[in-house]
Amino acid sequence: MSRVKRGVTSHAKHKKVYKAAKGFYGRRKNTIRTAKAAVEKAAQYAFRDRKRKKRTFARCGFSASMPRCVRSA
């Protein structure tokens, strides 16, 4: 039976994480463990803030105060 080298899939997965972590500070962009954690946390914040943005706009009332609403968001 031939030997299975699993580097290809690992590198592909890591590459995906590094791409998402581009622009992060320090080791958060180039060490897989910290980058993975940082990307995961960033995704949580992104999800939360998409909901928060909807709430903010709803509270503003979609009225003539729209520019002020956009500035505060």
Side-chain angles (χ1 to χ4, degrees):
M1 193 179 264
S2 60
R3 176 174 162 220
V4 177
K5 295 176 77 180
R6 303 186 320 188
V8 177
T9 49
S10 296
H11 286 134
K13 279 184 180 180
H14 290 185
K15 197 172 170 185
K16 200 163 107 176
V17 173
Y18 290 138
K19 189 178 178 190
K22 196 171 186 180
F24 288 9
Y25 181 80
R27 285 188 177 184
R28 292 165 70 89
K29 70 174 167 282
N30 55 17
T31 306
I32 192 62
R33 279 175 126 175
T34 51
K36 204 170 181 182
V39 166
E40 214 169 282
K41 192 66 175 174
Q44 286 174 356
Y45 284 138
F47 180 82
R48 180 197 70 187
D49 291 337
R50 280 197 302 275
K51 306 295 175 191
R52 189 172 279 182
K53 186 169 75 170
K54 290 176 179 71
R55 261 180 294 189
T56 308
F57 277 114
R59 198 173 21 187
C60 284
F62 295 105
S63 62
S65 62
M66 194 60 155
R68 185 177 35 166
C69 201
V70 171
R71 258 198 317 271
S72 68

